[in-house]
Amino acid sequence: MLPTSSKLRSSSSTARPSSMLPQYLRRIVKWQQMDIEYTFWQMLHLCTSPKVVYQHTKYHKQTKNQWARDDPAFVVICSLLLAVSTLAYCAAYDHSTAHAAFVVVSVLVFHFLITGVVLATCCWFLTNAYLREEAPNSHVVEQRVEWLYAFDVHCNSFFPLFVKLYVIHYFLSPLLVAHGLIPILLSNMLFMVAASYYHYLNFLGYDVLPFLERTTFFLYPIGIVIVLSPILILSGFNPSRYFMNVYFSQRL
């Protein structure tokens, strides 16, 4: 007996994500297959009008039947920009070539990749386990959040944070690492805005999925950030000085 069309759709929907990642990884070394112009368009609009980016995610789902990007250009370009910005910090604050190389590798591997994989996996598990709507009947194909889409959401949310905490912060760092109340206030405000915007974009990324509910859960960390910021300011904690001292042997 031939399987029904609904079973075919269900089996194809479960088989497709498992075959996406190897193909995605193979394309990382193939620049000619990457859409660089569209990637920069996404990066610009993530900082200015992120809802437009996720509107295009809906179009991607309609045309390619998957929510996740099949183009690794965003990850590649973001990694290159992160490496360049980290080298700029090393040129300004480090005094050892070997240590500078260590800082660049650690930022790329731990700040971006490992942290991204961990956060994406947590969000992927959370959304699939607790935030999916119940199927109205057994004939409806079950929809799940793709792990690669969860990683896309993290990358999308990370880029504006990168602009604030790696680019803008770099040019303001002589002021931000100074002693006094004004540097403490400005540093905490910059970190607060960056972290809040990260979680807001996380919310937009999952809110666009029609089979998820209670996605406002991803906005809750913003409240925690807003509550913590005045406490850190009053305690005299300067996040800029803290992180610069963590990574650079030259004490500030």
Side-chain angles (χ1 to χ4, degrees):
M1 181 178 178
L2 294 173
T4 62
S5 59
S6 62
K7 289 182 179 179
L8 285 172
R9 288 195 300 269
S10 179
S11 62
S12 65
S13 64
T14 55
R16 185 181 182 89
S18 62
S19 62
M20 282 169 51
L21 189 58
Q23 179 184 0
Y24 183 89
L25 294 175
R26 284 194 298 268
R27 293 186 62 183
I28 285 181
V29 295
K30 298 179 180 179
W31 277 93
Q32 66 275 16
Q33 295 185 12
M34 298 184 190
D35 192 341
I36 306 299
E37 182 179 352
Y38 179 61
T39 298
F40 280 116
W41 178 90
Q42 285 182 309
M43 289 178 167
L44 173 63
H45 282 79
L46 284 169
C47 297
T48 56
S49 51
K51 290 184 178 180
V52 175
V53 175
Y54 284 112
Q55 186 63 41
H56 278 252
T57 301
K58 291 182 180 179
Y59 302 151
H60 188 270
K61 170 63 175 176
Q62 294 168 1
T63 56
K64 298 196 174 182
N65 195 30
Q66 67 183 52
W67 291 99
R69 284 188 289 253
D70 55 357
D71 184 356
F74 196 100
V75 175
V76 173
I77 293 175
C78 198
S79 298
L80 291 175
L81 293 175
L82 188 58
V84 170
S85 66
T86 307
L87 282 172
Y89 274 98
C90 292
Y93 293 99
D94 213 338
H95 55 79
S96 167
T97 303
H99 185 262
F102 168 78
V103 171
V104 172
V105 172
S106 63
V107 166
L108 283 174
V109 173
F110 293 102
H111 276 207
F112 185 49
L113 293 178
I114 293 181
T115 301
V117 168
V118 171
L119 291 175
T121 302
C122 291
C123 292
W124 168 78
F125 173 78
L126 175 68
T127 50
N128 284 320
Y130 301 106
L131 301 184
R132 284 189 302 142
E133 292 180 346
E134 294 291 335
N137 55 68
S138 59
H139 300 289
V140 176
V141 177
E142 184 183 53
Q143 298 189 74
R144 300 179 64 84
V145 178
E146 306 154 5
W147 183 89
L148 197 54
Y149 179 77
F151 186 68
D152 281 347
V153 171
H154 164 74
C155 292
N156 289 345
S157 303
F158 178 85
F159 182 74
L161 182 144
F162 157 78
V163 172
K164 294 177 178 68
L165 297 187
Y166 286 85
V167 180
I168 296 176
H169 185 279
Y170 173 77
F171 292 106
L172 295 179
S173 59
L175 171 62
L176 297 177
V177 299
H179 293 279
L181 178 60
I182 298 301
I184 292 174
L185 180 63
L186 291 177
S187 180
N188 278 280
M189 290 295 292
L190 183 60
F191 274 77
M192 181 190 73
V193 171
S196 298
Y197 198 69
Y198 173 90
H199 291 293
Y200 171 66
L201 290 189
N202 241 20
F203 159 73
L204 290 183
Y206 293 104
D207 189 58
V208 76
L209 302 180
F211 54 89
L212 294 184
E213 56 185 6
R214 303 186 303 277
T215 52
T216 51
F217 170 83
F218 292 101
L219 294 175
Y220 294 166
I222 298 178
I224 299 175
V225 171
I226 293 174
V227 170
L228 281 179
S229 292
I231 297 175
L232 295 176
I233 292 172
L234 292 175
S235 67
F237 177 73
N238 186 327
S240 297
R241 289 181 61 83
Y242 174 79
F243 286 109
M244 297 288 277
N245 281 327
V246 164
Y247 277 100
F248 300 110
S249 54
Q250 175 182 328
R251 304 294 293 182
L252 300 173

